[in-house]
Amino acid sequence: FAYQHGEFYRQEFTCQSTGHSVSVQFGARQGTYPPWWKHIEVVIYRWPSARADAKFAGSTQRLQTKYDASTHALHVFIPEAAEKQELRVGQ
């Protein structure tokens, strides 16, 4: 019931898809309510194969992914972060 005392959590995000790539922009976290999760799972449906290069813009470190061939869904696991960031996924 922390919301009754003015605490909240808000984070905007947008997504763009072009050809064989997807970009998800996460806005900076707003509010004082601390999230209880440590990771976020982004699921991209209709991904064509297990081949994927997922990383944050400006980083060379690849993120953990898992492909579900039965549903053609790519799962990307990213750490929760308070700052603005952009996830880029390509083949």
Side-chain angles (χ1 to χ4, degrees):
F1 296 101
Y3 71 92
Q4 294 174 340
H5 303 286
E7 289 189 44
F8 68 95
Y9 176 101
R10 183 179 309 133
Q11 186 172 25
E12 295 181 6
F13 63 93
T14 59
C15 179
Q16 293 180 327
S17 175
T18 57
H20 297 290
S21 68
V22 172
S23 172
V24 181
Q25 294 82 26
F26 293 87
R29 184 178 2 160
Q30 301 171 14
T32 58
Y33 192 80
W36 62 87
W37 55 88
K38 300 295 182 209
H39 294 88
I40 297 171
E41 180 178 354
V42 175
V43 182
I44 304 170
Y45 293 97
R46 300 180 77 187
W47 193 257
S49 70
R51 196 175 93 210
D53 181 26
K55 55 188 149 192
F56 290 120
S59 174
T60 58
Q61 182 178 356
R62 298 178 109 190
L63 297 168
Q64 178 187 0
T65 61
K66 183 178 115 183
Y67 184 68
D68 183 344
S70 65
T71 60
H72 301 282
L74 178 70
H75 299 253
V76 182
F77 303 94
I78 63 173
E80 196 283 325
E83 69 274 356
K84 181 179 178 178
Q85 58 188 356
E86 180 181 357
L87 169 65
R88 294 182 181 171
V89 183
Q91 288 187 313

